[in-house]
Amino acid sequence: MSLKGKTAIITGSNSGIGLGIAQELARAGADVVINSFTDRDEDHKLAEDLGKEHGVTARYIKADMSKGDECRALIEQAGACDILVNNAGIQHVAPIDEFPVEKWDAIIAINMTSAFHTMAAALPMMRKAGWGRVVNIASAHGLTASPYKSAYIAAKHGVVGMTKTVALETAEEPITANAICPGYVLTPLVEAQIPDTMKEYDMSREDVIKNVMLQRQPSKEFATVEQIGGTTVFLCSDAAAQITGTTISVDGGWTAL
Ligand code: NAD
């Protein structure tokens, strides 16, 4: 599978799943745009190293996905967008009656509304190029719920709904839109949830991992960033040209329960 000549923009990709996706797309030959809201030397170095490793053009573009104008500017600045991966995301865990309003607003903006802005800016470019792939990173929490994650679950269900809508709006064009729904993947985002969950359930770290996080993941194994990246590459392949408006779970059986 070669994605040579295609430009992929991956939001929120200087760590975790986004970086794993950028790696796999670059391995498949795509030029990649890495993004986050910071503008550190190490962000640009990350892109430089990735480009060298895979012999592709890799750039880092700073844009804050909580701001609509910056989401759109990211796509414009990249100049091309054949593959759009909406991956930026944050989490906050609290009961709904104690959920901080600013956390709710930030999660809805970064995890959901950013995808509206980037898709709106990218679709005209895909139409002009005559080919496009939208891959939205939702979650098993885009299909099911858990307590204390109201904003995240609302946002991820929203992403799944928006993906279906865009798929219908592009159904007669050579463009597809799908969502990947990962179960637990051990990344900085998940690592950061462990202390709060330990407090919430009064459990040790080991028990939180086994009995809370992986309790609903029948495989009892975390999914890997390489697996999410590989699924993204598959969705960009010719074999997936008729796959649109759907979700692919990479969750060790979570949603089969
Ligand atoms: P992570 O914290 O490692 O990565 C999140 C990325 O988003 C980082 O690159 C961060 O810099 C970026 N980001 C955060 N706020 C941003 C902003 N305002 N503007 C631009 N970028 C911003 O987390 P991750 O686990 O790799 O999560 C990536 C995506 O995968 C998220 O959408 C998350 O909801 C989803 N997901 C993760 C898991 C999991 O178990 N890790 C499971 C299902 C879905």
Side-chain angles (χ1 to χ4, degrees), residues 145-164:
S146 299
Y148 314 125
K149 295 183 177 176
S150 53
Y152 186 86
I153 285 160
K156 293 298 186 181
H157 276 70
V159 165
V160 169
M162 201 170 14
T163 306
K164 293 179 187 174

Side-chain angles (χ1 to χ4, degrees), residues 67-112:
K67 302 191 169 88
D69 54 346
E70 293 197 26
C71 295
R72 289 173 189 253
L74 167 67
I75 309 296
E76 299 304 329
Q77 213 180 316
C81 184
D82 304 298
I83 298 165
L84 170 64
V85 182
N86 285 303
N87 169 79
I90 58 168
Q91 174 64 285
H92 186 78
V93 179
I96 196 158
D97 51 334
E98 293 169 21
F99 212 93
V101 173
E102 66 278 9
K103 291 282 184 199
W104 172 276
D105 289 342
I107 290 173
I108 297 297
I110 296 167
N111 296 21
M112 186 182 78

Side-chain angles (χ1 to χ4, degrees), residues 1-10 21-22 24-32 81-86 126 130-137 174-180 228-244 248:
M1 171 69 212
S2 175
L3 295 174
K4 208 167 163 25
K6 307 290 189 202
T7 298
I9 303 176
I10 307 104
I21 292 171
E24 295 310 312
L25 287 171
R27 196 187 308 285
D31 294 326
V32 294
C81 184
D82 304 298
I83 298 165
L84 170 64
V85 182
N86 285 303
M126 292 179 179
W131 190 91
R133 294 285 185 269
V134 176
V135 179
N136 291 327
I137 306 306
I175 295 171
T176 68
N178 294 289
I180 297 177
I228 310 301
T231 307
T232 305
V233 171
F234 166 67
L235 285 172
C236 295
S237 72
D238 292 341
Q242 282 300 314
I243 300 177
T244 195
I248 298 191

Side-chain angles (χ1 to χ4, degrees), residues 2 14 17 33 45 58 76 88-89 103 145 189 241:
S2 175
N14 66 351
I17 292 174
V33 173
K45 176 89 170 42
E76 299 304 329
K103 291 282 184 199
L189 181 140

Side-chain angles (χ1 to χ4, degrees), residues 124-227:
M125 290 184 182
M126 292 179 179
R127 290 188 168 121
K128 208 164 155 204
W131 190 91
R133 294 285 185 269
V134 176
V135 179
N136 291 327
I137 306 306
S139 168
H141 281 132
L143 304 168
T144 64
S146 299
Y148 314 125
K149 295 183 177 176
S150 53
Y152 186 86
I153 285 160
K156 293 298 186 181
H157 276 70
V159 165
V160 169
M162 201 170 14
T163 306
K164 293 179 187 174
T165 306
V166 171
L168 293 179
E169 291 182 14
T170 57
E172 293 185 31
E173 303 173 79
I175 295 171
T176 68
N178 294 289
I180 297 177
C181 293
Y184 270 107
V185 186
L186 193 57
T187 63
L189 181 140
V190 170
E191 190 62 53
Q193 289 174 52
I194 296 175
D196 278 353
T197 316
M198 282 167 68
K199 226 188 304 167
E200 199 76 57
Y201 289 93
D202 192 22
M203 278 182 180
S204 68
R205 177 186 164 87
E206 201 181 41
D207 281 346
V208 162
I209 291 175
K210 200 165 150 240
N211 299 326
V212 180
M213 293 183 159
L214 298 182
Q215 179 248 336
R216 289 173 71 182
Q217 199 145 310
S219 66
K220 298 290 172 207
E221 282 184 34
F222 283 110
T224 67
V225 299
E226 290 79 10
Q227 290 161 356

